[in-house]
Structure formats: C-alpha cells, structure tokens
Amino acid sequence: MAELLIIYHSKTGGSRQMAEAAAQAARDETTTTLIPAAEAGPEDMLRADGYIFCAPENLAAIAGVMKDFFDRCYYPVLGRIEGRPYAQMVCAGSDGENAARQTARIAQGWRLKEVQKPLIICTHAQTPEAILAPKTIPDDQLAQCRELGAALGAGLALGVF
C-alpha cells in the first residue's frame, strides 16, 4: 500500500492541528505517517510515496525548523524521489505566500509533482502576544486540511499520481 508522509512543524499549535487533521483523513485512504520536522530524515522521505509539508510562516518565510528538515534531507534524497506527489499547508499570521513559494522551490529542486495549490490558513495574528499565543484553528478551516489529506491519500491509493 502507498504511504503518505506528513511532515510538520508547530510552535503554537496551529500547524500541528492542520497536520493532524490531514493525517486523520488520509488514514482512511492509505498508510499515513505523521512526523515532526525535527525528527524526520532522509529515510522517511525515501520510504514514502507522497508528501504533505505543513509549517508556520515565520517572519514571511518558512519556519526555521522546517528549513532545517529540508537542509538535512535535500542532498541525501536528491535524484531519488522525482515525480512523487506533494502538497503543502501553511499556518500564516498574515499571508503565507512567501513561505509557500520557498517550499515550492525546494520541491521543484527535488522534481516533486505539486498536486494541489498551497493551502494557507491565516490566523491574522499581528501583535507579539497574538503571534506567540497558542492557536486554535476553526473546524471549517480544519475541514480544508482534512479534504487535502483525504484527496492526497486517495490519489496515492488509487495510483492517480
């Protein structure tokens, strides 16, 4: 059975909730592994057949822990995962577009196949207190994460990608 790997980073809980929602729905479709970016490595990437990357936007960029994951894995898997499908989710305080562009550029270097445009959930956290506060993602937005997880899981299971 195909395996979907969901790699996430979350400091205030928003991205974790998004990744968990996607994983919950994907598990109904295919084997799904949910792993924090700090614990993920090249062996996880090589084992999986498709990916969801989920992280917060920090200072208009991908979170440092997620960037560290990409840095640790980039060359060990380069040339070994081409054509595998991926999607991404960003938990943003403002717009999330730059973080999504950075992840897409890394995925392009790996020659991954984007199967859905980035899902950006905006919390509108604009003050230091709101940015650092624990996040609660509303259920209607988590439903979008579940839809993404289910779609990618089903696509992998059916061999669509």
Side-chain angles (χ1 to χ4, degrees), residues 7-156:
I7 300 167
Y8 75 97
H9 169 66
S10 188
K11 186 172 182 175
T12 61
S15 297
R16 178 188 47 76
Q17 293 166 57
M18 294 168 63
E20 288 174 348
Q24 175 188 25
R27 286 187 180 115
D28 291 339
E29 306 296 337
T30 195
T31 301
T32 303
T33 301
L34 177 67
I35 187 167
E39 298 173 18
E43 64 283 351
D44 299 303
M45 295 286 296
L46 293 171
R47 183 184 65 245
D49 301 291
Y51 315 99
I52 296 175
F53 304 113
C54 180
E57 167 194 57
N58 287 350
L59 303 172
I62 57 175
V65 174
M66 196 69 167
K67 175 68 167 66
D68 174 70
F69 158 75
F70 288 130
D71 287 344
R72 287 184 290 106
C73 293
Y74 191 83
Y75 290 108
V77 304
L78 187 64
R80 302 169 70 187
I81 59 172
E82 288 94 348
R84 295 182 190 181
Y86 87 96
Q88 62 168 308
M89 301 184 297
V90 177
C91 186
S94 53
D95 73 8
E97 294 291 333
N98 195 50
R101 268 192 303 278
Q102 290 174 320
T103 297
R105 180 62 188 103
I106 293 164
Q108 181 183 16
W110 273 334
R111 308 297 189 267
L112 298 178
K113 180 171 60 174
E114 181 183 67
V115 295
Q116 178 173 322
K117 296 293 180 195
L119 173 59
I120 299 173
I121 302 292
C122 188
T123 66
H124 304 286
Q126 294 297 303
T127 66
E129 296 78 22
I131 291 166
L132 297 172
K135 305 295 183 288
T136 301
I137 306 299
D139 193 57
D140 64 322
Q141 293 177 329
L142 290 177
Q144 295 175 58
C145 301
R146 287 189 287 273
E147 289 172 13
L148 186 151
L152 196 49
L156 284 172

